[in-house]
Amino acid sequence: VHPICFLSDYGLADDFVGLCKGMMLRIAPKATIVDITHEVSGFGVEAGAEILEHATRYMPNDAVYLAVVDPGVGTERRALALQTASENFLVGPDNGLLVPAAESLGGVAAVVSLTNDDYHIQPVSSTFHGRDIFAPAAAHLATGLDLRRLGEPADLASLVRVESPAPKKEGPDTVMATIIGVDRYGNARLSATEEEASLEFGAPLKIEAGEGGGEMPIRYVETFGHSKVGDLVLVPDSHQRLSLSVNQGNASRALGLKAGDRVRLILLKNGPGRTARLEGGPDASS
Amino acid sequence: VHPICFLSDYGLADDFVGLCKGMMLRIAPKATIVDITHEVSGFGVEAGAEILEHATRYMPNDAVYLAVVDPGVGTERRALALQTASENFLVGPDNGLLVPAAESLGGVAAVVSLTNDDYHIQPVSSTFHGRDIFAPAAAHLATGLDLRRLGEPADLASLVRVESPAPKKEGPDTVMATIIGVDRYGNARLSATEEEASLEFGAPLKIEAGEGGGEMPIRYVETFGHSKVGDLVLVPDSHQRLSLSVNQGNASRALGLKAGDRVRLILLKNGPGRTARLEGGPDASS
Amino acid sequence: VHPICFLSDYGLADDFVGLCKGMMLRIAPKATIVDITHEVSGFGVEAGAEILEHATRYMPNDAVYLAVVDPGVGTERRALALQTASENFLVGPDNGLLVPAAESLGGVAAVVSLTNDDYHIQPVSSTFHGRDIFAPAAAHLATGLDLRRLGEPADLASLVRVESPAPKKEGPDTVMATIIGVDRYGNARLSATEEEASLEFGAPLKIEAGEGGGEMPIRYVETFGHSKVGDLVLVPDSHQRLSLSVNQGNASRALGLKAGDRVRLILLKNGPGRTARLEGGPDASS
């Protein structure tokens, strides 16, 4: 039986996650279920797609991914199951959530639309397809059911894709990135990685970001330990992406940042790195 | 070994849930544990009883239910284990929490009071019977222990029952329902289902609810997609109950609603459905 | 395969816990993982050490403990795996988090520093050793890998230890305790147990605590049921430690208490117990 890796935006305050898991264990009693996270927020589908794609590097092999971030539930959006070239499976709505992860798992080998209601739980709720359509499909795949039993084949080219928040090179020294999400500490996660922004630790740099759109000096540091309390810095986050942060402060509150905002990174040719001091003292060279 | 389905109001901020699970796996190392939810709130025992009863439709067969919403811990209330006609088990306090679920699982076949302290973890805390009495009993039942070993038989008629918040028909077109709970988005969950309120989608309807007790036009819609931003609507929730909601708004805050409040639903004979617009614009016919 | 008991301060809002679990199940597909808690707060390392030590009494036997409360991640602090005389294992940072639990599990039999990067996940993040170093080590130990394969032996005497918040006897009737943490209801958990403070239920007592440092009469009660709404009381908590609480109120807010603060407990020779009434009415003898 395959392990099931479960991502959603259901939160843990209600019984949504529990009912999906109960249903899966009713169908696949020996399945192991891993919760990737149930608190996807920020961009929603885009943020969920990024978290799911990243997670594939750390999840068990031969897994079934159940991913439900589904603002279109109750509309005509399709419900999908994908099989990848690496013999992993992904189940969720046709809104772009699954595609980046499928590509990281070797690419899509087969797609079906979950139209076979023999595998739905009746009555199917108009708002909770996680429990009634997606979780049962994931559990049946975990037990080894042939993907094609779940519904009609779908055309790979027909899948909805999310617009990539990939950073854009605007010039030799300028990169425009997007804020994918803001965490509970106020760190703003950018869509760019260190490589995409051509950064080296300690390099002099400025950013344009925030409500006023002003420029601010900033440094790229390996960890907060390489900065002072209140310093505005870029640090690599756990997904190897750049995080716009204030040491022991709240960068998003200080600069008025939110998911979806653009941030321009401008590499400076020379001179020592300067850093804006946002809390705990005046601006300071370092 | 039976799977264990665990519901409580312990929350996840502390180690309460973790200690109960550790204890269960110490006794039943091969048991699978499903968390239904650990954030029961609102009515407390009544809300927990409703969630537990509903969950029985989606949990694995032959399960042991461990349910702890226990405001009376440390008083003389009994600790119980129930066996149902369907060979499921339920463990928890004698405050009404378990009875509706047991009835949905075929009815109670046997009851014991958990008085055999060979199956308690010593020292028994005066405030944490989940860890010291209930979890061990659930784990022993999961391994196949005979229910009667856990304590003295109890009389089914002696069990505490919660007063049902079932809706009351006040006339051919009027139903009085109770708010079972309010979720984090401000949706007020009513005790009535669509059938109990004799509703059809789009039907003209008004409600009496909230601090002022005023009447407001409202429509019953299949999903939020059938309403406009700011509209006050009834929608079926994931438990097939009616939810009093504002599209992209907070119904409970707008109307001053809380768990336990009564809401009167009045079906209108004719005319198009009207809907109060609470946020995003003035009242509007639709 | 050994069960893995997992404690951290990662919270559940992000994917940190999910990525660690995915990685562990990739290495040890048959391992059972128990979440002790992921919301360690208050004192941080000290609070985590206390929760971990206490949890050892309730977790499965022959477990691997993975514990990550790691403010020093990215600095030179060592990463450790410990084997105990009872054949349990503990994995985490060398900051004192693991030592009290190891002592409760029979004492440390062997220690290694996790320097063998064959067992690290590449690339190793500078901020997320839970996923890249600690979780893989725990999973390999769960499958039976010899501890010595994970890195170089370390000297037991070299381990960092947390200063114990153990209560100090200041005189025959006076004990100074430390607040280990404050829970979400405002209860302040003291480092002292009933035995350490020589308390008996109902005994007359006063405390010195809080912003003003003033003295207040208080009673030690078995449960809140033995006090009135608004009463300031000491009650034994689920860890058998004393909790400074207000019946249906918030003791920490009322007295301005926080983790790390000292509280002096002074036993009174005679007279009936008196209790400060902080909410719901004036002071009252009881």
Side-chain angles (χ1 to χ4, degrees):
Chain A
V1 62
H2 299 275
I4 298 170
C5 304
F6 186 9
L7 171 147
S8 77
D9 63 352
Y10 289 145
L12 294 172
D14 299 297
D15 56 359
F16 301 133
V17 169
L19 295 173
C20 291
K21 288 183 177 178
M23 201 63 239
M24 291 194 278
L25 291 168
R26 191 162 178 154
I27 294 166
K30 294 189 179 305
T32 297
I33 302 171
V34 189
D35 297 298
I36 299 174
T37 180
H38 296 292
E39 302 276 359
V40 172
S41 61
F43 254 22
V45 175
E46 289 82 351
E50 194 275 334
I51 295 168
L52 189 69
E53 187 279 329
H54 175 265
T56 59
R57 300 172 224 175
Y58 299 98
M59 291 294 126
N61 296 315
D62 303 322
V64 178
Y65 291 86
L66 169 63
V68 191
V69 178
D70 193 13
V73 66
T75 68
E76 294 299 305
R77 71 99 187 85
R78 294 180 297 184
L80 298 179
L82 278 60
Q83 184 164 3
T84 70
S86 58
E87 292 293 313
N88 287 266
F89 298 89
L90 302 105
V91 175
D94 181 21
N95 61 12
L97 183 64
L98 308 177
V99 176
E103 288 171 354
S104 283
L105 291 165
V108 177
V111 187
V112 299
S113 178
L114 301 174
T115 52
N116 185 349
D117 59 14
D118 289 353
Y119 296 102
H120 299 173
I121 304 304
Q122 301 299 342
V124 172
S125 154
S126 52
T127 56
F128 194 8
H129 290 187
R131 180 193 62 194
D132 300 332
I133 296 177
F134 296 124
H140 284 292
L141 290 170
T143 65
L145 185 82
D146 189 322
L147 180 86
R148 293 167 294 186
R149 299 280 298 280
L150 293 172
E152 297 157 15
D155 186 3
L156 176 55
S158 73
L159 299 190
V160 172
R161 281 152 200 272
V162 287
E163 195 192 345
S164 168
K168 294 202 182 70
K169 204 88 180 168
E170 297 188 332
D173 298 318
T174 308
V175 169
M176 180 68 89
T178 303
I179 297 177
I180 300 175
V182 172
D183 73 15
R184 57 183 169 153
Y185 304 110
N187 303 307
R189 301 185 57 226
L190 302 186
S191 56
T193 63
E194 173 187 290
E195 292 73 30
E196 290 166 339
S198 309
L199 291 186
E200 287 174 28
F201 291 127
L205 184 78
K206 61 183 181 181
I207 60 165
E208 288 176 19
E211 283 162 351
E215 293 189 357
M216 275 161 292
I218 191 171
R219 275 187 315 139
Y220 177 49
V221 297
E222 193 168 357
T223 67
F224 285 119
H226 295 84
S227 65
K228 297 199 181 69
V229 171
D231 280 358
L232 179 70
V233 292
L234 287 170
V235 288
D237 79 359
S238 64
H239 291 201
Q240 281 88 44
R241 293 188 194 277
L242 299 172
S243 174
L244 184 55
S245 301
V246 171
N247 186 339
Q248 292 185 32
N250 187 308
S252 297
R253 201 159 51 208
L255 300 178
L257 305 174
K258 63 182 186 310
D261 286 357
R262 299 305 186 95
V263 175
R264 182 174 281 120
L265 308 175
I266 304 162
L267 272 163
L268 302 176
K269 292 292 180 191
N270 45 43
R274 288 184 71 250
T275 307
R277 181 73 50 85
L278 293 185
E279 300 180 29
D283 284 16
S285 297
S286 57
Chain B
V1 63
H2 299 276
I4 298 170
C5 303
F6 185 10
L7 171 146
S8 78
D9 63 353
Y10 288 145
L12 294 172
D14 298 296
D15 57 358
F16 301 132
V17 169
L19 295 172
C20 291
K21 288 183 177 179
M23 201 64 239
M24 290 194 278
L25 291 168
R26 193 164 178 152
I27 294 165
K30 296 190 178 306
T32 297
I33 302 171
V34 189
D35 297 296
I36 299 174
T37 181
H38 296 292
E39 303 276 1
V40 172
S41 61
F43 253 24
V45 175
E46 288 83 351
E50 194 276 334
I51 294 169
L52 189 70
E53 186 280 327
H54 175 264
T56 59
R57 300 172 225 175
Y58 298 98
M59 292 294 127
N61 296 315
D62 302 323
V64 178
Y65 290 85
L66 169 62
V68 191
V69 178
D70 193 13
V73 66
T75 68
E76 294 299 306
R77 71 97 189 85
R78 292 180 298 182
L80 297 179
L82 278 60
Q83 184 164 2
T84 71
S86 58
E87 291 293 314
N88 287 265
F89 297 89
L90 302 105
V91 175
D94 181 21
N95 61 13
L97 182 64
L98 309 177
V99 175
E103 287 170 354
S104 283
L105 291 165
V108 177
V111 187
V112 300
S113 179
L114 301 174
T115 50
N116 184 349
D117 58 15
D118 290 351
Y119 296 101
H120 299 172
I121 305 302
Q122 302 297 342
V124 172
S125 154
S126 50
T127 56
F128 194 8
H129 289 187
R131 179 192 64 193
D132 299 332
I133 296 176
F134 296 124
H140 284 293
L141 290 170
T143 65
L145 185 82
D146 188 322
L147 181 87
R148 292 166 295 185
R149 300 280 299 279
L150 293 171
E152 294 156 17
D155 185 2
L156 176 54
S158 73
L159 299 191
V160 173
R161 282 152 199 271
V162 287
E163 194 192 345
S164 168
K168 292 201 184 70
K169 204 87 181 167
E170 296 188 333
D173 299 316
T174 308
V175 169
M176 181 67 91
T178 302
I179 297 178
I180 300 175
V182 172
D183 73 16
R184 56 183 170 153
Y185 304 109
N187 303 306
R189 302 185 55 227
L190 302 186
S191 56
T193 63
E194 173 188 289
E195 293 72 32
E196 289 165 340
S198 310
L199 291 186
E200 287 173 29
F201 291 127
L205 186 77
K206 61 183 181 180
I207 60 165
E208 287 176 20
E211 283 163 350
E215 292 189 359
M216 275 160 295
I218 191 170
R219 276 188 314 140
Y220 177 49
V221 296
E222 194 168 358
T223 67
F224 285 119
H226 295 84
S227 65
K228 297 199 181 69
V229 171
D231 279 359
L232 179 70
V233 293
L234 287 171
V235 289
D237 79 359
S238 64
H239 291 201
Q240 281 89 40
R241 293 187 195 278
L242 300 172
S243 174
L244 183 56
S245 302
V246 172
N247 187 340
Q248 293 185 32
N250 188 307
S252 297
R253 201 159 50 207
L255 300 177
L257 305 174
K258 61 182 189 307
D261 285 357
R262 299 305 187 94
V263 175
R264 181 173 283 120
L265 307 176
I266 304 161
L267 272 162
L268 301 177
K269 292 290 180 194
N270 46 42
R274 288 183 70 252
T275 307
R277 181 74 49 84
L278 293 184
E279 300 180 28
D283 283 16
S285 297
S286 58
Chain C
V1 62
H2 299 275
I4 299 170
C5 304
F6 187 9
L7 171 147
S8 78
D9 63 352
Y10 288 144
L12 295 172
D14 299 296
D15 56 358
F16 302 133
V17 169
L19 294 173
C20 290
K21 287 183 178 178
M23 200 64 239
M24 290 194 277
L25 291 169
R26 192 162 178 153
I27 294 166
K30 295 190 179 303
T32 297
I33 303 171
V34 189
D35 297 297
I36 300 174
T37 180
H38 295 291
E39 303 276 0
V40 171
S41 62
F43 253 25
V45 175
E46 288 82 351
E50 194 275 333
I51 294 168
L52 189 70
E53 186 279 327
H54 174 263
T56 59
R57 299 172 224 175
Y58 298 97
M59 292 294 128
N61 296 316
D62 303 322
V64 177
Y65 290 85
L66 169 63
V68 190
V69 178
D70 193 14
V73 66
T75 69
E76 295 299 306
R77 71 96 189 84
R78 293 180 298 185
L80 298 179
L82 278 60
Q83 184 164 1
T84 70
S86 58
E87 291 293 313
N88 287 265
F89 298 89
L90 301 107
V91 175
D94 181 20
N95 61 13
L97 183 64
L98 309 178
V99 175
E103 288 171 353
S104 283
L105 291 165
V108 178
V111 187
V112 298
S113 179
L114 300 174
T115 52
N116 185 348
D117 57 16
D118 290 352
Y119 296 102
H120 300 172
I121 304 302
Q122 301 298 340
V124 173
S125 154
S126 50
T127 56
F128 194 9
H129 289 187
R131 179 192 63 192
D132 299 332
I133 296 177
F134 296 124
H140 284 293
L141 291 170
T143 65
L145 186 83
D146 188 322
L147 180 87
R148 292 166 295 184
R149 299 280 300 279
L150 293 171
E152 296 156 15
D155 185 3
L156 176 55
S158 73
L159 298 190
V160 172
R161 282 152 199 273
V162 287
E163 196 192 343
S164 167
K168 293 201 184 71
K169 205 88 182 167
E170 296 187 332
D173 299 317
T174 308
V175 169
M176 179 69 89
T178 302
I179 297 178
I180 299 175
V182 172
D183 73 15
R184 56 183 169 154
Y185 304 109
N187 302 307
R189 302 184 55 227
L190 302 186
S191 56
T193 62
E194 173 186 290
E195 291 73 30
E196 290 165 339
S198 310
L199 291 186
E200 286 173 28
F201 291 126
L205 185 77
K206 62 185 180 179
I207 59 164
E208 287 176 19
E211 282 163 350
E215 292 190 357
M216 275 162 294
I218 191 170
R219 276 188 314 140
Y220 177 51
V221 297
E222 192 168 358
T223 68
F224 285 119
H226 295 84
S227 64
K228 296 201 181 68
V229 171
D231 279 359
L232 179 70
V233 292
L234 287 170
V235 289
D237 79 0
S238 64
H239 292 201
Q240 280 89 43
R241 293 187 195 279
L242 299 172
S243 174
L244 183 57
S245 301
V246 172
N247 187 341
Q248 292 185 34
N250 187 307
S252 296
R253 201 160 50 209
L255 300 178
L257 304 175
K258 61 180 189 308
D261 285 357
R262 300 305 188 93
V263 175
R264 180 173 283 119
L265 307 176
I266 305 161
L267 273 162
L268 301 176
K269 293 292 181 191
N270 45 42
R274 288 183 70 250
T275 306
R277 179 75 48 85
L278 292 186
E279 300 180 30
D283 284 16
S285 297
S286 59

